[in-house]
Structure formats: C-alpha cells, structure tokens
Amino acid sequence: ALVKEALRILSDRSKFFVTHNGKFDLRFIERNTDWLPKERRFLHDTMLMAAVLNSSGSKALKDLSEAYVWPGAKRWQSSLKDDMKKGGWEWGTVPIDLPSYWIYGVLDTILTVHLFYVLYEKCISAGTMEAYENERAATPGLYYIERNGMLLDAEHTREQQSKLHGRCSELEKGVTQYGIENIQSTSQIALASLDAGVVLTEKTDSGKWKMDKDTFDLIAATNDHPLVNMVKEHRSATKMASTYYGNFLTYQRSDGRCHPFYRPVVARTGRMSADMPAILTVPRPGTNSEVRNSFVADEGNLLISTDFSNVEARVFAHFAREEGMLDAFRRGVDLHSYTAKEIFRLDQMAAKDDPLRQIAKNALFCTLFGGGASKVAITAGVSLAEGERAIQGLFAAFPGIKTFQKLTIQTATDNLKAHGSAFVRGIDGRILAMVETDDRYYAFTNWQIQS
C-alpha cells in the first residue's frame, strides 16, 4: 500500500520530483514495480546540476549536502558503515530493519530536495542552465540504452580470449632466451633490454629505468627489437584478454547481454564515460575488429557502426578560427593529407598511404589531446626528433592553434584571479574547472573540445 501511494504521488503531473543520479533510482523502481514517469520533464537530478557547476567537483550526494545544506550530512552514513562492518554486512545483505539503514535512506531523500533548491538557484546565477537541460534531455536515451543492453556472442568471446592466453604463453617462453623469467617484472625487462642493446629513455626518482606504458611505447617506437616487440605484444594481449574479453564475460547477465553503465558527467572534460564493461574504449575497426565482433545483433536486426568524421579537429578548427583547416573542411578534401602538405611543405596533397600523412595526423591529434612530441613518436612510430619536427611544423602552418591555446590558458588564469578557481566554459555554458592542486592549464584546450 505504501509503494502504491508513493507511485500515485509520483504520477501526479502537477508535481515534479527530484533524484540524485536518477538513472540508477529509476532502474530500481522499474525493476520492482514496472513504473516509469510518463514525462521526464518533471524529473530533476541534483548530480547533473552539480556537474555543470563544477566538472571537477564531487558529485556525491553527501559531499554536496555537507557543503550546501547541512554540515552533519555525513553523520548517519558513518554510523551505517560502522554498523555494517560490525555485522559483516554488505549493501546486498544489510537488514532492512537496521535503524541506521532507515535513517540513512530517509535522510537521502530530505537532503536531495534541499540540495535541489540550492543548486537550481546556483545554476541560474552561474549561467549553466542550458548545460543542465542538455544533460537532463540525454538521460532518457541513456536509460533505455542501459536497460536494453548489447547481445554478447559468448562463444566468440571465449575463443578470442583463449587465443590471447595461448599467445601470451608463447611470448612468456620466448623472452626466456633473454634471461627474463617473469615478463611482468619491469626490472628484469630493463636489464635484459640493456644487455640486448636496446636504448632506454628515462629513469625514476629512485634511479630505476621507467617501464610504464607511455615510456615503454616510446622505447618500442624507437627500437625495432624482437625483445621489445614481444614485451609490447604481451602487454597488449593481456589487456585485450582481461579488460575487454574478460570483462565482457564477467558482466554478461542472464539475458545473454551486457548492460554497460553510462556516466554522463563523471569525466572532468564534460565527456561521457561508461563501465561494467568499458564499452566506449573498445578498439576501433581496423585495429582489432574481433573485439567489436563480440557483440552481435538480435535475430532479424543489424548493427550499424557510424562515426563523425574528424569531429575533434572540426570543433578545434571552429574554436581556433584556423581558416586553413576550415577551408579544407568546406572543400571536402582529406584533412590529414592537407595538413601533411602544409606541415612538411609538400608540392601537393599527401597520398593516403604516404607516411607523412600519418605523422601529420598524429601530430594534430596529439596536440588536440594535450600530448607532445614524445606522444607523436609513440603513436606514429617515428623518432623523437621527427615527432618534434612535426609539432613545430604544425604550429608554423596553423598559427591559430597556438593563439587559441594561449587564449584558453589566459581565460583560466583570469578566472582564477577573479573567482578563486581556474576554469573555462563549455559551449553550452558548463563550468570546466581544475582542482586547486592542478596547474596543467594547457589541458583546458582539450577539455573545451571534448565538452
């Protein structure tokens, strides 16, 4: 009777209701009652409000409530956690009649309502209402995407995972000829690489050779050596087997589908992310098509893969008002062939299979995403000097890039002086802010593009 009365109130179109991370709440309600709101315009979400006010700030209800509503907002959360620890309970096993659990649950609804009125006024005064409405409008679509999920071809997934495990075993045996007993040991890899004549690049503060992903990728780009190639392939195969195939199988539900959880406002850049599994990071076609082939269409349906063409570069050219790039887009010419021509001062457009086109492409995208010459060398498979030459050529050919970067950094610095926080605004007005301990203001160029 209590649930029916609650749903009756929620169905009253003269009222609006407020959630914090509403997709999660609605999924629980629908699963247990088959009820969903008929019109989402009555549904508000304080998590989305907080995100457009400060992309780097906490989106947690208790943190926000403590800051804006009541200093004691976290008190009962701590009490509940203490009781759960004493009883050995998790969220799925905690007794529903536990007093601290009831208080915690009821307090959430009260805090959310009070938080809404505070953040709503703040969004209006800060000029972030357009951004909030954009995020709110996207919620229904994301809800149904999550609910419907994606059909997994488990047989294909297990087969590909098994192949990778087999290949990893072969590689582990292969590196023993260089004295490596444990391919996961960075110290063994470093010592064996030096003995084999591989040129290493950087050391840690403690004096050990750096073997993290970015450093090793640079080593691999500048050293075509069997040992380096085997280690790199092993790292890639291990990630494919666990991060992709393994997680696909882990998160496959009883309906045979994966239901990724989409997080529209977690990233500081304003860009969407997803996990359980991380479906947005699946390798693109042409790099490893078998990963995407893990998902199949339902009988009688098709899966269609589509993508914007050079969307980051288009947005960047618009912001930077870089007329050369804009003209290339207007004329419909291949952007990367055009940038290669300008960067390397070629007499004509670079052909699609020209190595200089790939270098130019990598130089452009590394610049857009905050990378430098070393990243160009890694991604394009060239020397550090060639990567530096490409970056300098890019800045010379397209001066609007530097101008836009400097303007963006200046905007962030001005906001720091005027408001006490370094931030820029997205195209819809959302506030993209750095945390106080971060001074990498050059990243704001990328944040504006992604948002």
Side-chain angles (χ1 to χ4, degrees):
L2 182 62
V3 173
K4 287 183 179 179
E5 176 62 13
L7 294 180
R8 185 193 68 77
I9 295 172
L10 290 175
S11 299
D12 185 345
R13 294 191 181 186
S14 67
K15 298 180 175 65
F16 68 87
F17 60 101
V18 182
T19 66
H20 189 84
N21 191 14
K23 285 197 293 96
F24 179 87
D25 296 331
L26 289 177
R27 189 163 63 247
F28 180 85
I29 293 172
E30 184 189 22
R31 187 182 301 135
N32 289 277
T33 68
D34 291 327
W35 181 89
L36 277 177
K38 293 182 179 179
E39 293 187 60
R40 296 298 181 91
R41 62 194 176 98
F42 295 104
L43 174 64
H44 285 277
D45 194 322
T46 49
M47 186 179 75
L48 301 181
M49 287 181 174
V52 299
L53 282 167
N54 183 349
S55 67
S56 292
S58 173
K59 283 87 174 178
L61 174 62
K62 294 299 193 299
D63 290 343
L64 293 165
S65 298
E66 189 175 62
Y68 296 116
V69 179
W70 177 43
K74 292 184 178 181
R75 185 182 306 163
W76 285 102
Q77 182 176 13
S78 300
S79 298
L80 174 58
K81 287 185 176 180
D82 289 342
D83 288 346
M84 289 173 66
K85 185 176 181 180
K86 291 176 184 177
W89 299 307
E90 296 179 350
W91 288 109
T93 58
V94 59
I96 61 173
D97 58 353
L98 186 70
S100 57
Y101 183 73
W102 272 88
I103 296 173
Y104 171 86
V106 171
L107 191 59
D108 269 8
T109 63
I110 297 170
L111 291 174
T112 301
V113 172
H114 283 277
L115 183 63
F116 165 76
Y117 286 109
V118 174
L119 294 186
Y120 192 83
E121 291 300 322
K122 285 187 173 293
C123 282
I124 292 173
S125 62
T128 61
M129 282 302 294
E130 180 186 348
Y132 170 59
E133 292 299 341
N134 284 342
E135 293 294 352
R136 196 156 73 106
T139 301
L142 292 177
Y143 179 86
Y144 289 113
I145 289 172
E146 288 179 1
R147 189 184 71 173
N148 294 342
M150 305 167 67
L151 184 60
L152 183 72
D153 184 342
E155 183 179 351
H156 168 87
T157 304
R158 291 192 186 92
E159 179 184 336
Q160 294 302 316
Q161 186 184 43
S162 178
K163 286 181 180 179
L164 288 172
H165 285 156
R167 180 56 181 159
C168 284
S169 296
E170 293 175 1
L171 293 167
E172 288 162 14
K173 292 178 182 177
V175 297
T176 58
Q177 63 182 296
Y178 295 96
I180 297 177
E181 297 180 358
N182 178 10
I183 200 170
Q184 304 289 354
S185 170
T186 55
S187 59
Q188 289 185 26
I189 294 172
L191 183 60
S193 297
L194 289 171
D195 289 343
V198 175
V199 179
L200 303 186
T201 56
E202 295 182 69
K203 286 187 176 182
T204 64
D205 293 338
S206 61
K208 296 181 179 179
W209 288 106
K210 291 181 71 172
M211 286 286 146
D212 59 90
K213 183 182 183 303
D214 285 346
T215 304
F216 192 81
D217 284 346
L218 180 58
I219 293 169
T222 53
N223 291 269
D224 185 14
H225 192 282
L227 171 59
V228 175
N229 294 338
M230 283 192 286
V231 173
K232 183 179 180 181
E233 184 183 352
H234 186 275
R235 289 185 173 185
S236 175
T238 300
K239 179 178 180 179
M240 289 286 181
S242 60
T243 303
Y244 297 122
Y245 296 120
N247 278 338
F248 294 165
L249 294 168
T250 296
Y251 292 111
Q252 184 184 29
R253 299 188 192 169
S254 58
D255 60 359
R257 312 172 82 86
C258 289
H259 296 263
F261 188 70
Y262 286 83
R263 302 180 184 275
V265 293
V266 170
R268 293 177 298 169
T269 62
R271 188 170 183 166
M272 191 178 300
S273 61
D275 56 18
M276 297 186 297
I279 199 66
L280 297 184
T281 63
V282 170
R284 66 182 184 274
T287 54
N288 194 319
S289 299
E290 294 305 329
V291 178
R292 292 199 176 205
N293 287 339
S294 297
F295 295 100
V296 294
D298 291 292
E299 186 175 352
N301 292 272
L302 294 172
L303 284 178
I304 298 175
S305 178
T306 184
D307 191 16
F308 285 111
S309 173
N310 295 312
V311 64
E312 292 93 348
R314 290 175 188 271
V315 173
F316 181 68
H318 166 76
F319 276 137
R321 298 177 183 175
E322 182 49 69
E323 282 302 320
M325 288 185 186
L326 292 172
D327 183 59
F329 285 128
R330 294 189 191 105
R331 291 187 290 120
V333 302
D334 180 79
L335 174 67
H336 305 303
S337 295
Y338 170 74
T339 54
K341 175 179 177 294
E342 297 299 311
I343 290 173
F344 299 110
R345 302 183 182 279
L346 306 177
D347 293 332
Q348 57 186 5
M349 300 269 283
K352 285 287 184 73
D353 58 353
D354 190 332
L356 292 179
R357 179 185 179 278
Q358 186 62 44
I359 297 172
K361 177 180 179 179
N362 287 45
L364 176 61
F365 282 111
C366 284
T367 301
L368 299 187
F369 286 92
S374 62
K375 201 68 175 178
V376 176
I378 292 168
T379 54
V382 297
S383 68
L384 193 58
E386 289 176 295
E388 185 64 43
R389 176 191 170 207
I391 291 289
Q392 293 304 318
L394 180 72
F395 289 150
F398 305 106
I401 293 176
K402 275 283 190 184
T403 302
F404 174 59
Q405 288 178 327
K406 289 179 179 178
L407 179 62
T408 302
I409 292 173
Q410 186 61 54
T411 299
T413 303
D414 291 344
N415 284 330
L416 177 63
K417 294 176 181 177
H419 305 285
S421 172
F423 69 86
V424 295
R425 286 185 181 268
I427 198 168
D428 59 2
R430 72 184 62 220
I431 296 174
L432 308 169
M434 286 276 185
V435 296
E436 292 180 1
T437 55
D438 196 346
D439 60 357
R440 297 172 301 121
Y441 296 170
Y442 63 83
F444 276 127
T445 298
N446 172 249
W447 289 20
Q448 282 204 305
I449 294 167
Q450 289 202 37
S451 72

